[in-house]
């Protein structure tokens, strides 16, 4: 039975990945800061899908938390989903530097370290995959959030090319607006986002798993967002920045 480790596994895309992979008969290792919610999520998945679920409470913005998850990855997993992340209600340069550094620790350092921890075991078994959750924001210059997600995309593309084994895949997942707790937790007002731009978490995960199977290094779920990214790449960087500053995330 294959094993998947998912960070940020108790809500949003992380929870959707957990449901999908449990339905596909993966054993799960769930990582989150909230130990109580983690235990509740594990119990629900065990009851519904009958799979083994291991819980690993850890704060990935700390060296101690990262070391705990790295240690578990050294034991081997078949799929790593680097999903944990957060946003700020404010924008650069008004966000306190401590919060900006915490974001970079989680979005960049954690993705780097956990991917590096997972790859040796995958190479030894000659199979495996890593999904690094980024965002459509990665393709638009706006603030530290978009910059950190741009790093995730660039890193994932480079890692996919450098691994040099078609049986080991690394992919950046770049969804647009997804109906999760993300904006609420970040105290962001999402009321102005048009309804047609919202995606369902389960649909995003379904598209991600399809693109992973196809070996794509970057997955942009939904035709609407594929079009937005394509247009964004054609717009001059200066104009793109001004538009991003106007409409926000």
């Amino acid at each position: 039975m294959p094993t998947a480790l998912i960070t940020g596994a108790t809500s949003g895309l992380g929870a959707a990945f957990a449901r999908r992979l449990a339905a596909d008969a993966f054993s799960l290792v769930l990582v989150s800061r909230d130990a109580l919610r983690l235990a509740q999520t594990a119990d629900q998945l065990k009851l519904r899908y009958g799979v083994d679920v291991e819980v690993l409470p850890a704060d990935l913005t700390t060296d101690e938390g990262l070391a705990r998850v790295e240690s578990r990855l050294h034991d081997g997993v078949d799929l790593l989903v680097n999903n944990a992340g957060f946003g700020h209600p404010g924008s650069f340069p008004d966000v306190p530097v401590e919060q900006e550094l915490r974001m970079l620790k989680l979005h960049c350092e954690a993705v780097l370290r956990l991917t590096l921890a997972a790859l040796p075991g995958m190479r030894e078994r000659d199979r495996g995959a890593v999904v690094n959750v980024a965002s459509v924001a990665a393709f638009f210059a706006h603030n530290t959030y978009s910059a950190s997600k741009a790093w995730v995309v660039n890193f994932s593309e480079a890692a996919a090319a450098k691994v040099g084994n078609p049986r080991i895949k690394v992919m950046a997942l770049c969804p647009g607006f997804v109906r999760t707790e993300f904006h609420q937790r970040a105290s962001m007002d999402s009321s102005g986002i048009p309804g047609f731009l919202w995606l369902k978490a389960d649909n995003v995960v379904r598209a991600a798993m399809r693109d992973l199977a196809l070996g794509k290094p970057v997955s942009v779920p939904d035709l609407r967002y594929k079009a937005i990214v394509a247009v964004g790449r054609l717009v001059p960087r200066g104009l793109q920045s001004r538009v991003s500053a106007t409409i926000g995330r």
Side-chain angles (χ1 to χ4, degrees), residues 59 76 108 110 116 123 125-126 136 154-155 188 195-196 201 228 244:
D59 183 350
C108 301
L116 287 173
R123 283 175 163 168
R125 293 187 306 280
D126 193 36
V136 162
N154 194 306
F155 167 73
M188 295 178 186
F196 72 91
I228 289 171
S244 294

Side-chain angles (χ1 to χ4, degrees), residues 155-169:
F155 167 73
S156 300
E157 288 184 293
K162 291 291 186 180
V163 165
N165 184 339
R167 291 173 58 83
I168 300 175
K169 301 170 183 176

Side-chain angles (χ1 to χ4, degrees), residues 31-210:
V31 179
S32 173
R33 290 184 304 163
D34 190 335
L36 177 59
R37 194 170 183 184
L38 201 56
Q40 293 171 340
T41 300
D43 288 342
Q44 292 168 0
L45 291 167
K46 290 176 187 176
L47 182 62
R48 181 173 180 181
Y49 299 102
V51 297
D52 293 331
V53 184
E54 178 184 342
V55 296
L56 186 54
D59 183 350
L60 298 181
T61 65
T62 68
D63 285 331
E64 180 185 6
L66 281 171
R68 290 193 67 199
V69 182
E70 283 175 316
S71 178
R72 177 59 184 83
L73 288 168
H74 290 153
D75 293 336
V77 298
D78 299 281
L79 173 61
L80 165 64
V81 181
N82 279 313
N83 168 73
F86 68 94
H88 295 311
S91 293
F92 181 87
D94 301 321
V95 177
V97 67
E98 294 81 7
Q99 287 300 307
E100 296 280 51
L101 291 172
R102 183 168 170 264
M103 175 177 283
L104 292 175
K105 181 90 170 180
L106 183 59
H107 292 181
C108 301
E109 183 179 340
V111 169
L112 171 66
R113 288 175 58 173
L114 299 188
T115 299
L116 287 173
L119 283 176
M122 293 178 182
R123 283 175 163 168
E124 185 177 337
R125 293 187 306 280
D126 193 36
R127 70 178 189 277
V130 178
V131 176
N132 295 322
V133 178
S135 169
V136 162
F139 304 101
F140 299 90
H142 181 57
N143 53 22
T144 304
Y145 179 85
S146 62
S148 68
K149 293 303 186 180
W151 182 90
V152 172
V153 173
N154 194 306
F155 167 73
S156 300
E157 288 184 293
K162 291 291 186 180
V163 165
N165 184 339
R167 291 173 58 83
I168 300 175
K169 301 170 183 176
V170 182
M171 184 184 80
L173 172 60
C174 303
F177 295 113
V178 185
R179 292 206 180 276
T180 66
E181 300 174 11
F182 179 88
H183 295 87
Q184 180 183 353
R185 286 186 170 187
S187 301
M188 295 178 186
D189 181 9
S190 59
S191 60
I193 300 171
F196 72 91
L197 287 179
W198 287 104
L199 305 177
K200 293 181 179 179
D202 290 333
N203 292 343
V204 171
V205 170
R206 186 181 305 116
M209 295 304 293
R210 180 193 64 226

